[in-house]
Amino acid sequence: MSVDVKYSTAATATGGRDGHARSDDGKIDIQLATPKELGGAGGDGSNPEQLFAAGYSACFIGALKAAGRELKVKVPDDVTVTAKVGIGPRSEGGFGITADLQVSLPGVERDQAQRLVDTAHQICPYSNATRGNLDVGLTLV
């Protein structure tokens, strides 16, 4: 698989889940904290799962808009995608993540909305990156 890269970025983390992360341009500069559910202290910091959920949901909206252009269906301005991301031990060993996307397309007929979601799932870089590695749930709300 080849990718014609049009944009790239970088971020550096220090200290792991209880550390700090910063993008190369400084637009993201965030304290990290391990959730209590994973044995950490919790606290005010974010965590990789939250960052993944934010990225996936935003990217999927972009894919919905691209799908809308392709299918000639208007994607409403108030479209929302909520990505629910989970983490835990895998039966095969190690840890794995889960992702469920809840998509709201107000004013779009259900059949058209489903086509948009299905097409977006084929377009979205996050969906393509995770395909075959984790099951992604897609729900119209």
Side-chain angles (χ1 to χ4, degrees):
M1 171 187 71
S2 67
V3 176
D4 180 15
V5 175
K6 301 295 185 193
Y7 170 78
S8 70
T9 188
T12 301
T14 57
R17 287 182 164 273
D18 289 309
H20 188 266
R22 185 177 188 282
S23 62
D24 59 350
D25 62 4
K27 291 181 181 178
I28 295 174
D29 193 348
I30 192 164
Q31 189 63 36
L32 302 171
T34 302
K36 288 181 180 180
E37 297 85 349
L38 295 177
D44 293 333
S46 187
N47 61 64
E49 293 71 38
Q50 290 172 324
L51 297 170
F52 182 75
Y56 201 163
S57 59
C59 191
F60 202 81
I61 289 174
L64 285 166
K65 291 177 180 179
R69 288 188 297 276
E70 183 178 309
L71 298 172
K72 304 207 182 334
V73 175
K74 169 123 176 58
V75 173
D77 292 337
D78 55 349
V79 58
T80 61
V81 174
T82 300
K84 293 187 173 193
V85 173
I87 183 172
R90 295 177 346 133
S91 59
E92 301 87 351
F95 286 81
I97 60 172
T98 62
D100 289 295
L101 304 182
Q102 297 177 344
V103 181
S104 174
L105 290 157
V108 179
E109 279 184 33
R110 187 152 189 89
D111 289 348
Q112 282 187 327
Q114 189 62 59
R115 279 193 335 206
L116 281 170
V117 168
D118 293 342
T119 302
H121 192 46
Q122 297 305 310
I123 293 170
C124 179
Y126 278 68
S127 294
N128 288 329
T130 59
R131 189 169 285 111
N133 295 310
L134 66 104
D135 291 330
V136 176
L138 300 169
T139 306
L140 278 171
V141 294

